[in-house]
């Protein structure tokens, strides 16, 4: 079959594909599929049919697959631009027709490409001027951080798109004329031959131009395409792998230099490595693209049903259009699209292999490489295979400059193909006179082109493998990611379960809206806002909303076989309701205790581990989370501070509250008893450095019980040295330090140093609760310690209150389905046995004296015996005030731990008193 007939058949095969896409868009928009709604694909097919007729007349020998591939790719592009940005679709369609017109002009009038490149140096100047023209003041325009636009009134144009093609024409002429010189290496270094300086000059020049683009235009993508296209053409022309190695080294040097000097390059790399680290700012586009791609699965969510255009992803119709395509037509469709580009690559290199002259061959290589490299770089960036660069996807992305350049490149490819001779024809005309520009060494050229095609094939195989990783293997991970607002937006049509306190106060619920979706509301103001978190289609989930996300969505904790069947069938069902262990009255008392201060408070039931209250200050109304997050992302320090849950996500020096750990461990080991006497001067030297009591108080001779009540640092410093660093750290670890504790909310690990790093002086202060050692330095690799969360110190108190047994802390008491059937009931479990039961009871007896006659008298509750320990964590300019207490002391039912940052002495005990009292009242003990 003749080439043009094959081309026509392929065009007719591609036409239904393009038509189907537009039909699906019409159906999704509620339109009838008829001639009117299919007018655009019919018009596109008509334009390509005209191009086909032109090829029949002016280029009958051109490759038969390139035009149909261009039709399929551009048809897909127009369809998705129409789907994502219908307001820009008409303009994109006009640019398509202009591009096809330019392609026809090139095929019809550029009959001899060898003559075109006779003006190679003129082309070089024009190309470089176009490439760097956006730097002209007044004309150049910076958009999205890159200065790659020329601005004329209301119109903008990217001259770099056309400049790359002009430079390819220059390079083709230059390489055709000088390939023998570039292939001969005259400098001998040992056993190797290397090129001289003159031979290396073009490579260095192109490298310098690429760096100029990165530095001044901030266009990393164009610079990479520009330099790699030159390298590929240079390799195909000479066959010298030295140029590839040298070029890659130059890219590495330039890349490292750019990373070290320029912020925009650093941001690109950091975003590539971890886009989720700043998902609402620099990583927003990439994270949203990943979420969209992960939703695509094998077959996609359906054209028009994706969220890439609704969230929206900025410039989704341009740089990120591939994310929308993958989401809506799935892995199979996205991989098929990449296969079309790979087919384009193969046909382009076949055209180069058939070319009758070096000029035509190199033009075909250059034009093909521009399109295929650009496709690889942008798809690789959008899918996180490589760092993201600001490029468009050829034929597909919205943008007139890109579309026009793509069809100009196709025009040159078709012209090169028509000039092709093929092996048979060349063999039959072997005795004829050869042109000075004819292809010499066709076998060698074929091997180089084959090697290049193999590399491109591996590159696109890597893209498909990476897509498979995101869309199949890691899809569940991304869909359940706490920041995945796509899941939240899709679930807005389903009623999310409520979250309430143990005593029935609703903290979060979903209410119906007029458009048939549900809106998440937080009716309890600032009550437990740090615990509840948020569920948002923009910001994802946090707090209990994140920890119980699948449960609240109705996808876990099924109460009946009906719930299971509904889930497996994908039926829309209301989510499950979550009841927390928090008590609203105790929670409010904890928040009131912190009002006007900075700090945190945790209340535990020591027998079960249930969290009765968890408060952090400053706080915020849970319904205001979006404003708080937006302000925090804009460097709003106050809002960021309010969002922090200081009960679990802040490490503090525990001060003298840590003496509970030291005391219990020393009693457990029999090192001292309650009546052991120590000297307690205001200051004393331990380990060649001073250890001092608060405000330098000299207490004389004290028993261990008295030293605990008065919180003597010098006594506990001596006790710590007697115990030794090893045993002190082991004792702390038994109470939960240096341990990852399973908890629904993010929880920092409380820290102790490595005993091997601790000096005698550091050990003395650590026993008193002050981390004075170096923090992860060369001389002290481990962290300084002790450092503790407020929840950890509550667990320490709970262990002493509960006969040495620390219970696993938990926040969820029960889960119910929409019909009220209970599917989950919390079962208390033991986390660790910190000390023996009798040791815990002895420690508790000592702690009673703190409240009756020591530093914690402000925590006393009339009619109830309270045990506890105060703490003053000394800082350079102020002190943090701690208190850990338990009541009733004979059988504690509530343990409170509280810290007041920059608080007055005794403030912790004073604030904790009403919290403990409220917890006892709620339990009927007062």
């Amino acid at each position: 079959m003749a080439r043009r007939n094959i081309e026509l058949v392929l065009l007719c095969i591609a036409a239904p594909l393009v038509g189907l896409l537009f039909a699906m868009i019409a159906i999704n928009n509620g339109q009838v599929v008829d001639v009117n709604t299919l007018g655009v694909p019919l018009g596109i097919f008509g334009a390509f049919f005209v191009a086909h007729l032109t090829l029949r007349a002016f280029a009958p020998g051109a490759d038969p697959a390139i035009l149909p591939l261009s039709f399929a790719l551009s048809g897909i592009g127009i369809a998705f631009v129409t789907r994502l940005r219908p307001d820009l679709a008409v303009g994109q369609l006009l640019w398509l027709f202009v591009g096809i017109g330019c392609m026809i002009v090139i095929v019809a009038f550029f009959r001899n490409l060898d003559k075109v490149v006779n003006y190679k140096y003129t082309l070089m100047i024009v190309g470089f001027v176009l490439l760097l023209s956006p730097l002209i003041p007044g004309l150049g325009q910076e958009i999205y951080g890159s200065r790659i636009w020329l601005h004329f009134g209301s119109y903008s144009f990217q001259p770099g798109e056309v400049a790359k093609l002009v430079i390819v024409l220059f390079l083709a002429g230059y390489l055709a004329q000088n390939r023998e010189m570039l292939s001969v290496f005259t400098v001998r270094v040992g056993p190797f031959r290397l090129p001289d300086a003159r031979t290396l000059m073009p490579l260095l020049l192109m490298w310098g131009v690429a760096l100029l683009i990165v530095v001044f235009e901030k266009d990393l993508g164009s610079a990479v395409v520009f330099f790699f296209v030159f390298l590929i053409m240079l390799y195909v022309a000479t066959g010298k792998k030295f140029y590839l190695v040298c070029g890659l080294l130059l890219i590495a040097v330039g890349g490292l230099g750019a990373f070290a000097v320029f912020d925009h390059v650093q941001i690109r790399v950091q975003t590539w490595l971890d886009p989720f680290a700043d998902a609402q700012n620099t990583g927003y586009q990439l994270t949203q693209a990943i979420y969209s791609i992960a939703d695509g699965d094998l077959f996609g969510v359906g054209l028009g049903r994706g969220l890439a255009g609704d969230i929206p992803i900025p410039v989704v119709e341009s740089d990120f259009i591939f994310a929308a395509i993958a989401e809506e037509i799935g892995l199979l469709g996205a991989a098929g699209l990449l296969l079309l580009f790979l087919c384009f690559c193969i046909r382009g290199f076949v055209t180069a292999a058939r070319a009758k002259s070096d000029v035509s061959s190199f033009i075909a290589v250059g034009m093909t490489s521009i399109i295929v490299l650009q496709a690889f770089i942008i798809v690789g960036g959008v899918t996180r295979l490589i760092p993201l660069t600001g490029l468009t996807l050829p034929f597909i992305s919205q943008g007139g400059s890109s579309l026009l350049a793509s069809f100009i490149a196709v025009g040159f490819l078709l012209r090169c193909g028509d000039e092709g001779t093929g092996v048979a024809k060349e063999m039959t005309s072997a005795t004829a006179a050869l042109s000075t520009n004819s292809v010499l060494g066709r076998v060698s050229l074929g091997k180089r082109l084959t090697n290049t095609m193999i590399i491109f094939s591996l590159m696109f195989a890597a893209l498909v493998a990476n897509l498979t990783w995101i869309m199949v293997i890691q899809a569940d991970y991304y869909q359940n990611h706490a920041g995945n607002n796509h899941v939240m937006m899709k679930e807005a049509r389903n009623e999310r379960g409520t979250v309430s306190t143990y005593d029935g106060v609703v903290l979060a619920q979903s209410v119906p809206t007029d458009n048939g979706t549900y809106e998440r509301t937080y009716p309890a103001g600032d009550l437990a806002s740090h615990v509840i978190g948020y569920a948002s289609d923009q910001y994802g989930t946090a707090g209990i909303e994140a920890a119980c996300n699948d449960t609240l969505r109705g996808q876990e904790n099924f109460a009946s076989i009906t719930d299971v069947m509904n889930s497996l069938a994908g039926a829309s069902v209301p989510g499950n309701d979550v009841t927390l262990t928090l008590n609203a009255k105790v929670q409010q008392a904890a928040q009131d205790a912190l009002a006007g201060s900075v700090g945190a408070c945790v209340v535990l039931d020591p027998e079960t581990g249930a969290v009765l209250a968890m408060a952090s200050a400053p706080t915020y109304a849970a319904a205001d989370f979006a404003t708080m997050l937006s302000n925090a992302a804009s460097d709003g320090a106050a809002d960021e501070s309010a969002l922090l849950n200081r009960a679990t996500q802040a490490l503090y020096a525990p001060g003298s509250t840590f003496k509970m750990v030291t005391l219990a461990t020393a009693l457990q080991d029999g090192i001292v008893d309650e009546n052991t006497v120590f000297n307690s001067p205001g200051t004393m030297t331990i380990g060649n450095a001073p250890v001092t009591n608060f405000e330098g108080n000299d207490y004389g001779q004290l028993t261990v019980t008295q030293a605990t009540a008065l919180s003597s640092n010098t006594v506990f410093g001596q006790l710590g040295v007697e115990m030794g660093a090893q045993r002190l750290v082991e004792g702390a670890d038994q109470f939960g330090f240096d341990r990852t504790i399973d908890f629904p909310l993010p929880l920092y690990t409380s820290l102790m140093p490595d005993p091997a790093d601790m000096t005698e002086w550091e050990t003395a202060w650590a026993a008193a609760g002050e981390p004075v050692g170096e923090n992860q330095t060369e001389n002290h690799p481990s962290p300084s310690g002790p450092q503790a969360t407020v929840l950890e110190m509550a667990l320490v108190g709970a262990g002493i209150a509960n006969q040495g047994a620390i219970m696993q802390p938990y926040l969820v008491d029960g889960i119910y389905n929409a019909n009220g059937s209970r599917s989950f009931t919390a079962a208390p479990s033991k986390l660790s046995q910190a000390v023996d039961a009798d040791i815990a009871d002895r420690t508790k007896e000592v702690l009673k004296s703190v409240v009756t006659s020591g530093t914690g008298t402000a925590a006393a509750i009339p009619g109830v015996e309270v045990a506890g320990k105060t703490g003053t964590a000394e800082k350079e300019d102020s002190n943090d005030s701690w208190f850990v207490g338990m009541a009733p002391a004979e059988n504690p039912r509530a343990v409170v731990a509280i810290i007041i940052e920059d608080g007055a002495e005794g403030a912790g005990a004073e604030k904790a008193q009403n919290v403990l009292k409220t917890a006892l009242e709620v339990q009927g003990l007062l």
Side-chain angles (χ1 to χ4, degrees), residues 485-502:
N485 49 354
H486 290 221
V487 174
M488 299 304 304
M489 194 168 184
K490 286 184 289 187
E491 291 172 355
R493 294 175 176 83
N494 295 332
E495 184 178 4
R496 190 175 174 88
T498 63
V499 181
S500 58
T501 64
Y502 186 82

Side-chain angles (χ1 to χ4, degrees), residues 711-909:
S711 204
S712 169
N713 291 337
T714 53
V715 169
F716 273 85
Q718 296 171 72
L719 181 54
V721 172
E722 281 193 40
M723 295 168 62
Q726 184 70 38
R727 190 63 194 104
L728 179 66
V729 171
E730 289 174 353
D733 290 350
Q734 287 296 109
F735 276 96
F737 283 77
D738 297 322
R739 175 182 297 192
T740 300
I741 298 174
D742 185 27
F743 194 65
L745 305 182
L747 175 62
Y748 285 6
T749 299
S750 297
L751 302 174
M752 286 294 288
D754 184 333
D757 296 339
M758 298 173 69
T759 64
E760 185 176 298
W761 179 68
E762 181 182 352
T763 302
W765 271 115
E770 295 289 346
V772 298
E774 297 179 48
N775 189 48
Q776 295 178 316
T777 64
E778 185 177 349
N779 296 326
H780 195 289
S782 61
S784 61
Q787 300 179 62
T789 63
V790 179
L791 176 58
E792 168 58 31
M793 294 315 297
L795 291 174
V796 170
I800 293 170
N802 192 40
Q803 297 188 314
I806 300 178
M807 304 301 288
Q808 172 69 46
Y810 64 95
L811 270 169
V812 176
D813 179 73
I815 296 171
Y816 304 81
N817 71 2
N819 298 321
S821 299
R822 188 160 186 153
S823 61
F824 169 79
T825 301
S829 60
K830 187 174 177 180
L831 180 66
S832 68
Q833 184 71 35
V835 291
D836 295 341
D838 65 312
I839 297 298
D841 290 340
R842 288 169 61 188
T843 303
K844 186 170 57 179
E845 286 297 318
V846 173
L847 296 180
K848 290 180 185 179
S849 63
V850 175
V851 179
T852 57
S853 59
T855 55
T857 55
I861 301 173
V864 176
E865 199 169 22
V866 178
K869 185 69 190 79
T870 58
T872 302
E874 300 181 42
K875 300 188 295 188
E876 186 174 345
D877 299 321
S878 61
N879 303 318
D880 294 338
S881 182
W882 279 89
F883 184 74
V884 178
M886 59 204 74
E890 63 275 10
N891 183 26
R893 297 291 303 279
V895 172
V896 61
I898 190 170
I899 185 173
I900 306 296
E901 293 186 25
D902 304 322
E905 183 184 2

Side-chain angles (χ1 to χ4, degrees), residues 344-535:
F344 188 96
C345 171
I346 292 171
R347 299 312 304 178
F349 282 116
V350 167
T351 296
R354 294 183 62 254
K356 75 173 184 180
S357 70
D358 288 347
V359 169
S360 296
S361 181
F362 298 156
I363 289 176
V365 169
M367 298 298 175
T368 302
S369 298
I370 283 179
I371 290 175
V372 178
L373 266 176
Q374 196 161 313
F376 172 81
I377 290 170
I378 187 58
V379 173
V382 169
T383 58
R384 270 190 77 198
L385 182 64
I386 58 177
L388 182 66
T389 58
L391 289 174
T392 55
L393 187 58
F395 299 108
I396 292 176
S397 292
Q398 187 276 328
S401 310
S402 173
L403 195 59
L404 179 63
S406 297
F407 278 99
I408 291 174
V410 170
F412 280 109
L413 269 175
L414 293 170
R415 171 46 58 202
C416 292
D418 186 56
E419 292 184 353
T421 60
V423 175
K425 185 174 181 180
E426 185 165 282
M427 291 297 291
T428 58
S429 60
T431 58
L434 294 174
S435 165
T436 55
N437 285 323
S438 61
V439 175
L440 301 176
R442 184 176 292 276
V443 173
S444 297
L445 176 66
K447 288 182 179 179
R448 298 167 200 165
L449 292 172
T450 300
N451 291 338
T452 309
M453 278 192 287
I454 290 173
I455 291 173
F456 273 121
S457 298
L458 292 174
M459 290 164 60
F460 276 81
L463 288 179
V464 174
N466 191 46
L467 269 181
T468 305
W469 175 259
I470 295 173
M471 301 179 75
V472 179
I473 300 172
Q474 287 287 89
D476 287 342
Y477 168 78
Y478 288 119
Q479 288 166 357
N480 292 307
H481 195 276
N484 192 334
N485 49 354
H486 290 221
V487 174
M488 299 304 304
M489 194 168 184
K490 286 184 289 187
E491 291 172 355
R493 294 175 176 83
N494 295 332
E495 184 178 4
R496 190 175 174 88
T498 63
V499 181
S500 58
T501 64
Y502 186 82
D503 49 338
V505 176
V506 176
L507 300 175
Q509 63 183 359
S510 294
V511 296
T513 61
D514 294 337
N515 62 6
T517 62
Y518 288 87
E519 180 183 1
R520 197 65 169 169
T521 63
Y522 299 92
D526 65 355
L527 189 69
S529 57
H530 290 95
V531 174
I532 189 65
Y534 53 81

Side-chain angles (χ1 to χ4, degrees), residues 215-237:
V215 173
F216 295 106
E217 296 186 359
K218 299 180 181 178
D219 186 10
L220 185 61
S222 292
V224 172
V225 170
F226 174 77
F227 192 70
F228 268 106
V229 167
F230 167 70
L231 274 185
I232 291 169
M233 293 179 69
L234 185 60
Y235 167 71
V236 170

Side-chain angles (χ1 to χ4, degrees), residues 304-318:
R305 297 181 180 179
L307 296 179
D310 299 331
I311 293 296
I313 303 174
V315 295
V316 65
E317 73 282 358
S318 180

Side-chain angles (χ1 to χ4, degrees), residues 586-605:
V586 182
Q587 179 69 30
Q588 190 61 59
Q591 293 184 199
D592 291 344
L594 298 172
S597 303
V598 176
C601 181
V602 174
V603 184
L604 296 178
D605 181 337

